[in-house]
Amino acid sequence: MVKARESWVQQAVRKIEADFNRSADTHLIPLSLPAYPGVDLYLKDESSHPTGSLKHRLARSLFLYALCNGWLREGSTVIEASSGSTAVSEAYFARLIGLPFMAVIPKNTSREKIAAIEFYGGQIHLVNSGREIYGESERLARELGGHYMDQFTYAERATDWRSNNNIAESIFSQMRQEPHPVPDWIVCSCGTGGTTATIGRYIRYQGYDSRVCVADPENSVFFDAYASGDPTLQIEAGSLIEGIGRPRVERSFIPSVIDRMARIPDLASLAALRYLEKSLGRRCGGSTGTNFIAALQLARRMHGAGEAGSIVMVLCDGGERYSQTYYNDAWLRERDFDVGPAEWAIAQSAEQGEALPWELEEHAHEDHVPAR
């Protein structure tokens, strides 16, 4: 019996590793900022993963972590609390190794994400808000005798942050032939905090003089927790920008690896998507717009200080899953978002050097000062 169980685990691990070997690395795309010569911006395009988002890396790591810890067995139901993208990727890996999967997601999750979860064979369990996904996932795991993946706890520890082609290693490898191969800043955002933890730890492990800037949306507790040092903060509202921002401080959020945080208005994030669509010739998800505003602010600041260098920001997912929301004019009007003037202001900043019209809340920890 033990040998049979070990054989199933070994086969499952091999299937996941074989899937990884069939997948190429994601692209690093340069994006010109005409107003800031000498400051090079690159987008790490995580939408090119098989399941279309940054969360593909996390899901693979979570499954390997659970398998090697002995938490998954043949036939057991995998349950995850998610705002959508992680559930899509976990449904993919569950199907790959023949396990049933159930996603516990807020009812306002985009229909496209729900369809993607179901495409990979996942079941949907809707709850009213993001605050309810944790307890409901635990309850279902107990009732079904399954395993709750709990990305919000294990994201920062399931990924091998020292190597193994994590996102940080991939970025620095792809930057080697660029004019400024060591980025001054890497810009990302937090859903679990796992990606930020991986990048921040890798920078320190390798001794790079790079800094991490986290862009946080409205209705997220991460910025205030970082600024105050209080990990117990909670709020009632949920983030409009799917996949990032949380109503509570997740266990995978590691403030000490972050050098600066910026709170980005939702209007700015949504308008940035329209500017990026024209600049890239393609659509991106909402969190990419959030990251772009923070990166643009950093580029303007570097140029103003006479600094040359590079910035890498994460393009988290594509815009196909948001055609009925962020790219829907009627949806925007219902929420009183007038993105036209905001998009023009972003273009003026990127192309003419004008200041952004939003006074961004920012907070920096000065205990990590890179050598210059």
Side-chain angles (χ1 to χ4, degrees):
M1 186 66 159
V2 172
K3 186 171 290 187
R5 183 171 66 244
E6 289 177 349
S7 175
W8 180 85
V9 170
Q10 290 165 357
Q11 290 176 23
V13 170
R14 277 199 298 271
K15 288 177 181 177
I16 293 173
E17 291 296 279
D19 179 80
F20 174 73
N21 288 335
R22 293 192 295 269
S23 302
D25 202 354
T26 60
H27 306 299
L28 191 67
I29 303 171
L31 179 64
S32 174
L33 298 176
Y36 311 120
V39 180
D40 301 328
L41 176 63
Y42 302 83
L43 281 63
K44 179 61 170 165
D45 182 11
E46 294 293 284
S47 72
S48 55
H49 283 295
T51 54
S53 83
L54 168 68
K55 298 301 185 180
H56 193 85
R57 293 182 190 269
L58 172 59
R60 180 172 59 228
S61 295
L62 287 169
F63 267 84
L64 290 172
Y65 191 68
L67 285 164
C68 295
N69 281 337
W71 295 344
L72 291 179
R73 65 183 186 279
E74 188 173 5
S76 60
T77 300
V78 179
I79 295 137
E80 183 61 286
S82 172
S83 61
S85 288
T86 303
V88 174
S89 298
E90 288 191 14
Y92 172 93
F93 284 105
R95 187 177 75 169
L96 183 69
I97 63 175
L99 295 182
F101 177 78
M102 181 178 291
V104 180
I105 58 176
K107 64 182 181 181
N108 63 348
T109 300
S110 71
R111 284 179 287 175
E112 292 89 347
K113 283 186 180 178
I114 291 173
I117 295 167
E118 293 176 332
F119 174 80
Y120 292 118
Q123 299 179 61
I124 305 297
H125 186 89
L126 296 175
V127 295
N128 289 323
S129 72
R131 294 178 61 85
E132 299 176 32
I133 60 177
Y134 316 99
E136 189 66 2
S137 296
E138 292 173 356
R139 183 188 69 79
L140 287 168
R142 287 194 302 270
E143 287 187 2
L144 298 173
H147 173 64
Y148 171 31
M149 275 293 196
D150 194 2
Q151 60 164 323
F152 298 106
T153 294
Y154 297 110
E156 59 89 7
R157 64 195 75 172
T159 300
D160 184 352
W161 49 268
R162 284 160 292 206
S163 58
N164 200 22
N165 195 42
N166 64 49
I167 187 172
E169 183 180 40
S170 176
I171 287 170
F172 282 95
S173 176
Q174 291 175 317
M175 285 291 294
R176 284 176 186 157
Q177 302 302 318
E178 300 303 318
H180 305 286
V182 177
D184 288 70
W185 291 96
I186 297 181
V187 180
C188 52
S189 42
C190 287
T192 61
T195 298
T196 302
T198 297
I199 293 171
R201 288 165 171 166
Y202 185 83
I203 287 170
R204 287 158 175 77
Y205 180 65
Q206 296 292 340
Y208 289 125
D209 291 338
S210 299
R211 290 166 287 179
V212 176
C213 176
V214 168
D216 204 37
E218 294 181 42
N219 294 319
S220 172
V221 76
F222 287 133
F223 179 89
D224 290 326
Y226 178 77
S228 68
D230 184 355
T232 68
L233 294 179
Q234 296 190 31
I235 57 175
E236 291 297 324
S239 169
L240 183 76
I241 309 300
E242 285 190 31
I244 62 172
R246 301 298 307 158
R248 73 176 195 184
V249 182
E250 305 298 350
R251 294 177 186 174
S252 286
F253 179 65
I254 312 295
S256 55
V257 304
I258 300 168
D259 300 291
R260 177 178 293 273
M261 284 196 74
R263 177 177 279 151
I264 309 300
D266 289 341
L267 176 60
S269 296
L270 298 174
L273 298 184
R274 303 300 177 101
Y275 178 79
L276 288 170
E277 182 179 12
K278 294 174 181 175
S279 300
L280 297 172
R282 50 175 292 194
R283 290 179 169 181
C284 304
S287 53
T288 303
T290 307
N291 290 344
F292 180 72
I293 294 298
L296 187 58
Q297 179 86 333
L298 290 171
R300 186 171 188 273
R301 188 173 291 144
M302 286 175 62
H303 182 72
E307 299 174 0
S310 59
I311 299 170
V312 176
M313 56 163 277
V314 179
L315 192 166
C316 305
D317 63 352
E320 300 81 9
R321 295 173 180 171
Y322 309 98
S323 61
Q324 298 303 311
T325 54
Y326 307 145
Y327 292 95
N328 185 323
D329 290 340
W331 185 91
L332 293 170
R333 284 195 299 271
E334 287 172 5
R335 289 154 182 80
D336 294 324
F337 287 118
D338 185 3
V339 297
E343 180 192 344
W344 182 84
I346 291 169
Q348 288 296 107
S349 180
E351 298 166 17
Q352 303 297 328
E354 299 294 330
L356 289 168
W358 305 281
E359 190 68 35
L360 303 184
E361 289 184 78
E362 295 182 271
H363 190 83
H365 283 174
E366 302 299 337
D367 51 320
H368 171 60
V369 180
R372 292 290 179 187

